Amino acid sequence: MEYSRTIFEEYHIDEDVGFALPLPLEELPHPYDAWISIARNLPELIKNNQLRMEVEKLAMLSIDDLRGHRAQRLGHLVLGYITMAYVWGQGDGDVRKVLPSNIAVPYCKLSEKLGLPPILLYADCVLANWKKKDPSGPMTYENMDILFSFPGGDCGKGFFLVSLLVEIAAASAIKVIPIIFDAVKREDSDTLQKALLDISSSLRKALDVFSQIHEYVDPNLFFNVLRIYLSGWKSNPLLSEGLLYEGVWDTPKKFAGGSAAQSSIFQCFDVLLGIQHTVGGVPSDPAAEFLQEMRTYMPPAHQSFLLSLKSRPSVREFVLSKGNAMLQETYDQCVQAMVALRNYHLQIVVKYILIPASRQSKAESSIEDLEAESKGTGGTNLMDFLKTVRGKTVNCLLKEH
Ligand code: HEM
């Protein structure tokens, strides 16, 4: 099937790991190894207050010898880690508003080459930040590790790896997408129904994997440490003007922080199932605008994939037009699986952001006040945003459940 070949070749999607980068590189050749050694010792350098000094000593490197997609992705990942560490320092509010040119210039050139913004992205710290301990072993938490860490012990490993494993669990459903479009084209309801069953079962597996977050991520470390290093400089009062990339631009630039809202996997099934966050292609509210903006933080090939899905015949319209109760029920199971993922995610946000925020808040704020005030690493008013997105998903169910 032509579309199947295109998905896996043209859109940089892997049969096994989906949107994740298959077999990320772990080392860069000299002279780029200087970046790797800082990124690898980040927590130690931050603790000893040496990180900023080491960064300022780095030679300005041309990126011309950084050849091949995997080397460039590793370069983007390590420069992202170094930049976050440089800006946020010890995470105590002593922030830097200028990124020195010896790091800013190669970082922005490399970002331009990859078509990505110059800030640590989900595509870096989750999709390109992993390895298997035993290369012939399974893709399980126990047999995997991350390549680079922030302060906060194993909290980062838990957050990044669980996100990656959710991606990979849902990735098995990507293979089914060409079958779905082919079935719609041939008006073959039986094949479509089987394919939709595969999708709902992969999404349910993803939900299962999601629950590992409780085992591996500590709410206080997440809220008080890791979250700081993932924060961006857009809608962030600590860097209200943005970050000045010295030697690149004359004025500061604003970029949103790393968030799983930059993952393509949920947006991919939204588009496939016709869960619309836009009206006539235009974002209909701030939540939709944010989701649309987050696409610009995804690798360009993945953005093109989402656009290509949108240009295909509507699966939802086809299911509606057939009036086949079994087919409609199976379609609803897929939407229901997306609702379940978003419900679960909302509970996680309460546990990992709202509750720790309420403990920290000196004034006796209620959860409702905190809901209204809290911002995610991407800079959203997070509960409003997440509830709107969930609401749109629920509205897509054909029957009330
Ligand atoms: C400790 C765990 C997590 C927390 C605290 C958390 C928090 C958040 C927050 C605050 C947002 C709002 C956007 C922003 O401002 O960043 C968000 C969005 C989002 N997150 Fe998470 N998240 C967690 C884990 C995950 C995982 C494991 C996934 C799946 C890979 C995920 C997928 C998403 C998606 C897809 C969105 C966009 C909204 C949507 O499409 O429903 N999150 N998350």
Side-chain angles (χ1 to χ4, degrees):
M1 243 179 284
E2 182 57 21
Y3 192 52
S4 176
R5 194 195 55 75
T6 316
I7 288 184
F8 295 115
E9 288 173 16
E10 204 171 302
Y11 297 128
H12 294 192
I13 296 171
D14 183 81
E15 292 227 25
D16 297 317
V17 296
F19 295 103
L21 183 69
L23 296 175
L25 279 188
E26 293 173 42
E27 301 290 346
L28 288 176
H30 187 69
Y32 308 107
D33 52 348
W35 298 342
I36 299 273
S37 51
I38 293 195
R40 201 157 274 151
N41 293 314
L42 216 67
E44 195 63 17
L45 289 169
I46 291 175
K47 194 168 129 214
N48 299 335
N49 218 2
Q50 291 172 322
L51 185 274
R52 285 173 174 155
M53 212 171 55
E54 290 299 316
V55 172
E56 283 155 12
K57 280 198 301 203
L58 278 171
M60 161 97 81
L61 301 179
S62 147
I63 59 150
D64 293 350
D65 294 324
L66 204 51
R67 297 217 177 86
H69 185 69
R70 287 195 305 152
Q72 290 166 0
R73 289 289 293 274
L74 177 55
H76 202 268
L77 167 68
V78 290
L79 292 175
Y81 261 82
I82 294 173
T83 297
M84 298 321 244
Y86 188 84
V87 168
W88 301 120
Q90 298 194 324
D92 54 4
D94 168 24
V95 302
R96 288 287 187 276
K97 296 180 178 172
V98 181
L99 188 67
S101 58
N102 53 344
I103 195 100
V105 171
Y107 193 22
C108 291
K109 288 222 165 105
L110 184 57
S111 299
E112 197 185 341
K113 192 167 213 164
L114 288 167
L116 295 170
I119 187 164
L120 187 78
L121 309 165
Y122 182 84
D124 299 317
C125 57
V126 173
L127 300 181
N129 186 23
W130 62 274
K131 66 171 181 188
K132 281 202 218 171
K133 290 180 189 161
D134 167 8
S136 59
M139 296 279 284
T140 54
Y141 193 92
E142 294 69 27
N143 190 40
M144 290 172 79
D145 210 344
I146 52 171
L147 308 181
F148 303 96
S149 302
F150 284 114
D154 272 350
C155 170
K157 175 177 169 181
F159 182 60
F160 299 147
L161 278 188
V162 173
S163 303
L164 178 74
L165 289 168
V166 171
E167 286 271 334
I168 293 176
S172 55
I174 301 175
K175 285 189 208 120
V176 183
I177 294 177
I179 302 174
I180 291 195
F181 287 124
D182 192 54
V184 170
K185 192 166 139 206
R186 291 185 296 102
E187 304 209 6
D188 175 351
S189 299
D190 286 350
T191 305
L192 177 60
Q193 196 191 335
K194 280 195 202 99
L196 288 174
L197 274 176
D198 285 344
I199 301 255
S200 63
S201 117
S202 297
L203 294 177
R204 278 197 300 272
K205 274 189 211 129
L207 181 59
D208 233 31
V209 174
F210 214 150
S211 63
Q212 293 183 64
I213 202 112
H214 299 289
E215 195 176 332
Y216 298 115
V217 184
D218 174 79
N220 289 318
L221 282 177
F222 176 84
F223 184 78
N224 294 306
V225 186
L226 186 64
R227 199 180 52 97
I228 315 281
Y229 290 99
L230 299 180
S231 303
W233 26 96
K234 185 169 185 188
S235 315
N236 186 338
L238 287 173
L239 276 162
S240 54
E241 307 285 307
L243 179 71
L244 183 69
Y245 294 78
E246 190 185 64
V248 184
W249 293 296
D250 294 336
T251 49
K253 298 283 168 210
K254 296 179 180 177
F255 293 107
S259 156
Q262 297 166 1
S263 157
S264 307
I265 198 89
F266 282 38
Q267 294 215 30
C268 155
F269 294 110
D270 280 349
V271 181
L272 181 77
L273 297 168
I275 300 168
Q276 292 217 5
H277 303 287
T278 57
V279 175
V282 180
S284 47
D285 52 50
E289 266 168 36
F290 181 75
L291 282 180
Q292 200 63 30
E293 186 195 340
M294 286 298 106
R295 290 198 186 183
T296 64
Y297 290 71
M298 297 173 188
H302 298 167
Q303 295 179 38
S304 307
F305 174 61
L306 295 178
L307 278 177
S308 87
L309 283 180
K310 181 88 186 128
S311 68
R312 300 246 146 193
S314 161
V315 176
R316 181 178 166 83
E317 291 303 320
F318 176 79
V319 170
L320 276 168
S321 72
K322 283 289 144 191
N324 170 336
M326 288 278 280
L327 185 60
Q328 295 195 351
E329 170 59 30
T330 313
Y331 167 88
D332 261 6
Q333 281 176 20
C334 295
V335 179
Q336 193 59 55
M338 290 297 288
V339 173
L341 274 163
R342 289 194 157 119
N343 272 333
Y344 196 77
H345 181 261
L346 266 160
Q347 290 171 29
I348 288 192
V349 172
V350 170
K351 171 169 169 181
Y352 285 90
I353 300 186
L354 289 193
I355 294 179
S358 74
R359 286 210 192 99
Q360 203 187 60
S361 171
K362 290 179 197 81
E364 296 276 294
S365 304
S366 67
I367 283 279
E368 287 74 24
D369 292 340
L370 287 157
E371 271 197 34
E373 287 161 15
S374 296
K375 291 206 186 277
T377 47
T380 59
N381 271 85
L382 56 92
M383 292 310 268
D384 275 357
F385 164 66
L386 294 170
K387 285 181 180 169
T388 305
V389 177
R390 179 187 54 184
K392 295 255 178 71
T393 316
V394 172
N395 289 345
C396 252
L397 287 166
L398 300 177
K399 260 200 190 148
E400 270 184 38
H401 287 251

